[in-house]
Amino acid sequence: MATLSADVPTETQTLVHYEVSDGVALFTLDDPPANTYTHEMMRQIDAAILRARFDATVDVIVITGKGDKFFCAGANINMLQKADPTWKYYFCLHANETLLKLEHTPKLVIAALNGHTVGGGLEIAMAADLRIARRGAGKIGLPEVALGVLPGTGGTQRLTKLVGTSKAIELMVQGNNLDFDQAAAMGIVNQVLDSESRDGFLEQVMAYAKQFTRPNKATFAVGNIKRSCQSGAELPLEQGLALERELQALLFNSSDAKEGLNAYVEKRTPHFTGK
């Protein structure tokens, strides 16, 4: 896969590698040893999200970490320790805006947890639609209470939605890290895969992701299912149903809906175009 980085800020090193293969855009967080994120990395994540949005060849986004020890260990503590409170506020604001952008991009987003996924790393992963982890590769959790702060990049909100209010509070005030199987049992992780290497794990995740690309899947429908769930989750039921109906109306007029219905009647495999 060729690395494409033209739309990523150039004043610093490349901290987010952007690659496209068979309809899947792969973002790789790369700041050893723990892939912690700085403002520069978050800006590059932001740019990569926009690039994938506008890339007509991309149906699915996969986010992973460089190396085999860390997906991401959260925000860079040395950076935060040196910054003043006003700067840190705007840093958190931009990070929140970036992850909301990821969450509302109408393309499926999968976090491939290749190693430890803690603090802000888990907050990035929870902004993805699906989380797939490599068994035994690391821990997962929100330990910010040990620093005297709360998980401030969406952690309190997204973890609560995943596991419920009481369990989320318990996990965050205790600050304990879990293994991936424990996280899967709670619904934080969707799947845990066995793999002897990080590269083998990533190959499995990419193969999984490709089932959601054209012509295998109606990607226009996938994107609108995501939009209905992510946007509708914040609405009262009646308004959520209204959003669902409007998105369904768009799909009823799509070429993929016609193809799907015709293929069903004709007892053949559909060939979707994402339109």
Side-chain angles (χ1 to χ4, degrees):
M1 295 183 291
T3 299
L4 309 173
S5 56
D7 292 341
V8 177
T10 57
E11 68 270 25
T12 61
Q13 71 206 74
T14 299
L15 301 170
V16 180
H17 302 281
Y18 183 103
E19 309 168 64
V20 177
S21 175
D22 298 328
V24 180
L26 176 64
F27 302 176
T28 304
L29 310 181
D30 183 8
D31 192 9
N35 298 327
T36 53
Y37 65 83
T38 55
H39 182 49
E40 289 75 18
M41 179 184 280
M42 193 56 67
R43 289 175 62 193
Q44 292 186 27
I45 293 172
D46 194 344
I49 294 166
L50 289 177
R51 180 168 191 159
R53 275 189 180 184
F54 283 94
D55 190 338
T57 70
V58 170
D59 296 324
V60 179
I61 297 169
V62 172
I63 305 175
T64 195
K66 182 77 170 180
D68 59 4
K69 293 184 178 180
F70 287 91
F71 171 78
C72 175
N76 185 295
I77 302 301
N78 290 331
M79 173 200 68
L80 292 177
Q81 192 272 334
K82 295 174 184 176
D84 65 72
T86 299
W87 189 93
K88 284 186 276 196
Y89 174 82
Y90 286 113
F91 168 73
C92 289
L93 176 59
H94 175 254
N96 279 322
E97 292 169 335
T98 297
L99 296 187
L100 281 170
K101 195 174 295 182
L102 182 68
E103 199 167 54
H104 291 288
T105 294
K107 299 184 180 188
L108 192 69
V109 179
I110 300 170
L113 310 183
N114 56 293
H116 297 298
T117 305
V118 294
L122 177 54
E123 291 176 303
I124 291 172
M126 289 192 295
D129 304 304
L130 303 173
R131 285 157 294 282
I132 302 176
R134 181 185 169 206
R135 179 168 282 113
K139 298 288 187 177
I140 193 168
L142 295 173
E144 283 87 347
V145 68
L147 301 175
V149 297
L150 57 73
T153 313
T156 63
Q157 305 304 301
R158 291 189 176 95
L159 185 62
T160 296
K161 291 176 184 176
L162 286 173
V163 303
T165 302
S166 181
K167 178 56 70 174
I169 291 172
E170 178 186 35
L171 290 171
M172 287 183 282
V173 299
Q174 288 182 345
N176 295 336
N177 292 325
L178 312 170
D179 65 38
F180 289 138
D181 285 296
Q182 289 174 305
M186 292 182 185
I188 303 171
V189 168
N190 296 87
Q191 294 186 48
V192 183
L193 303 179
D194 289 306
S195 180
E196 294 182 358
S197 69
R198 183 258 188 192
D199 289 343
F201 166 70
L202 190 56
E203 286 180 10
Q204 288 178 276
V205 175
M206 293 294 281
Y208 174 80
K210 286 171 185 175
Q211 72 177 297
F212 301 106
T213 63
R214 293 163 287 176
N216 308 308
K217 195 72 72 175
T219 54
F220 189 34
V222 170
N224 279 300
I225 289 169
K226 171 179 176 171
R227 284 196 58 210
S228 189
C229 292
Q230 296 287 17
S231 299
E234 303 303 320
L235 300 174
L237 178 60
E238 186 174 353
Q239 294 178 23
L241 292 172
L243 172 63
E244 183 182 86
R245 287 194 302 273
E246 292 303 312
L247 295 174
Q248 183 74 301
L250 290 175
L251 292 172
F252 278 148
N253 284 307
S254 70
S255 297
D256 277 353
K258 295 180 178 65
E259 168 64 7
L261 292 171
N262 289 338
Y264 180 84
V265 172
E266 296 165 8
K267 295 181 172 55
R268 60 176 175 81
T269 300
H271 188 279
F272 294 113
T273 62
K275 297 178 182 178

